[in-house]
Amino acid sequence: MQLIQTGTVGAGGAANITFTGIPQTFTDLLILASCRSTFSGDVADMIYVNFNSAGTSNYANQQLANSGSFVFAFTGTEQVIGFTAAALSPASTFAVSSAYIPNYVVSTNKAVTIDAVSPSTTNSFGRMVGMRWTNTAAISSMVITPQAGNFVEFSTISLYGILRGSGGATVS
Amino acid sequence: MPAGVPAWTPLANITLSANQASVTFSSISGAHRDLVLIVRSAISSSSNTYQVRFNGDASGSYNFAQMYRQSASSFFSNNSANQTRILFGVNGNTATVGNATGRLEIFDYATTNKHKQVLLRNDDQTSSTTELTMYRYAQTSAITSIEIVANNATNLVAGSTFALYGVAQ
């Protein structure tokens, strides 16, 4: 696993964190996010991705979630890639997300596994998400935005590349 | 994490050029702390699952607890003991490569004084399933091989990829 790039939001906040010129030399990608947004309507919110600036169509997701002691599931078409703490969460609280994208340069659809948690005082949440981008293009860029509002200072997203290889086992 | 410092060491990988019934990783190096297996696959007859066994062990040594969803109104938790294999894809798996992904994290795989804990995440867009399962493999022997088999005499589809990594000590 190798760090490709980290985006950190400075003073004043930012509307997005963008990765461009993603090397095509890895096998898989891993996105680790620690984010908080200015959205004032809830304790947490989704983070969206726009792969290759190709627009917001052709995404589908299924989610299993909890909020406090309440568990629920739903299906959507949002281009979710993670979650952010929002303005109603305790101060200095950032949600953490992990998104794994295998075979990001292969010419098949892209399936993403996402796990996230956002701690709060009375309404912490966790999410398990499977997301699919129905597009066979290799992923070369990402624009990551909160569903509403802006990222606040200290929000950080890191992009890692993982390279498949051999030499430590035999496979057939 | 500093750039260029490998936390994951690639051990082996395979992309299937034709349908086949199973994939086996063998002679796994014991030099790492944990293993991560990434599965991006499809099954020739959907609504089937994958079976995983360590060291060819089909005894009742696999115990699990899980939570998963099958639809927006259908989600469950479940647990059972003494299973003969690890099973993932609770609601069947897609027949299209690229619509599903699975990840198994196998902790302390090379130790000889611990049972092995496995954290499994599997998502399948076709069946609208997402699952998290925790397994305890109740054997203290080191894991030196991993077999992935398509259930019910079905096949792993051409284009499926399987990649094994060692996590640094």
Side-chain angles (χ1 to χ4, degrees):
Chain A
M1 181 188 302
Q2 182 173 339
L3 177 66
I4 296 172
Q5 189 176 5
T6 293
T8 301
V9 176
N16 61 72
I17 294 175
T18 298
F19 300 96
T20 58
I22 296 173
Q24 304 292 286
T25 52
F26 295 102
T27 310
D28 305 337
L29 295 175
L30 173 67
I31 303 165
L32 299 180
S34 172
C35 295
R36 184 180 178 94
S37 76
T38 59
F39 175 53
S40 60
D42 209 334
V43 296
D45 204 6
M46 286 188 279
I47 299 174
Y48 288 165
V49 66
N50 187 348
F51 289 131
N52 299 351
S53 296
T56 59
S57 300
N58 301 315
Y59 292 89
N61 68 79
Q62 65 271 6
Q63 304 191 29
L64 180 61
N66 83 292
S67 178
S69 60
F70 182 54
V71 179
F72 55 100
F74 57 94
T75 303
T77 58
E78 301 90 349
Q79 62 272 35
V80 61
I81 198 68
F83 291 84
T84 177
L88 297 186
S89 63
S92 304
T93 297
F94 288 68
V96 291
S97 305
S98 167
Y100 196 92
I101 313 172
N103 292 70
Y104 71 104
V105 299
V106 174
S107 57
T108 60
N109 294 336
K110 309 302 181 290
V112 187
T113 295
I114 302 155
D115 299 308
V117 293
S118 185
S120 183
T121 306
T122 58
N123 202 24
S124 300
F125 85 84
R127 291 284 178 101
M128 291 162 46
V129 182
M131 190 269 276
R132 180 184 65 189
W133 184 44
T134 306
N135 192 308
T136 59
I139 295 173
S140 58
S141 70
M142 303 177 193
V143 178
I144 300 174
T145 58
Q147 182 180 7
N150 292 324
F151 288 125
V152 304
E153 184 182 18
F154 307 127
S155 294
T156 302
I157 301 178
S158 295
L159 179 66
Y160 299 88
I162 294 159
L163 187 61
R164 201 168 294 165
S166 61
T170 303
V171 60
S172 59
Chain B
M1 183 180 302
V5 177
W8 287 15
T9 299
L11 300 182
N13 72 93
I14 187 169
T15 299
L16 302 186
S17 57
N19 291 4
Q20 65 187 59
S22 67
V23 165
T24 301
F25 292 89
S26 57
S27 303
I28 298 172
S29 166
H32 309 280
R33 187 189 71 195
D34 309 322
L35 295 174
V36 177
L37 174 64
I38 304 294
V39 175
R40 186 173 169 276
S41 181
I43 289 184
S44 56
S45 174
S46 60
S47 300
N48 281 285
T49 57
Y50 303 100
Q51 300 184 59
V52 177
R53 290 196 173 104
F54 301 136
N55 300 342
D57 184 358
S59 68
S61 297
Y62 305 90
N63 311 279
F64 73 90
Q66 71 182 176
M67 60 178 180
Y68 64 95
R69 57 150 283 162
Q70 294 177 337
S71 72
S73 59
S74 175
F75 43 92
F76 306 94
S77 65
N78 190 17
N79 66 86
S80 190
N82 304 320
Q83 303 296 293
T84 60
R85 69 287 181 269
I86 289 172
L87 201 62
F88 73 96
V90 291
N91 199 36
N93 283 278
T94 182
T96 304
V97 177
N99 286 1
T101 183
R103 181 176 74 238
L104 286 84
E105 299 178 65
I106 307 164
F107 300 96
D108 296 313
Y109 76 102
T111 61
T112 56
N113 53 12
K114 296 179 181 178
H115 289 178
K116 311 304 181 285
Q117 311 299 330
V118 181
L119 195 62
L120 185 160
R121 274 284 279 120
N122 187 55
D123 298 313
D124 178 56
Q125 186 59 235
T126 304
S127 62
S128 213
T129 299
T130 188
E131 67 175 283
L132 173 66
T133 308
M134 296 140 281
Y135 271 92
R136 177 174 62 92
Y137 175 55
Q139 298 286 352
T140 56
S141 52
I143 293 172
T144 59
S145 71
I146 302 171
E147 181 186 35
I148 305 106
V149 181
N151 208 15
N152 291 331
T154 54
N155 282 312
L156 307 169
V157 171
S160 297
T161 62
F162 303 83
L164 185 68
Y165 302 88
V167 178
Q169 298 271 9

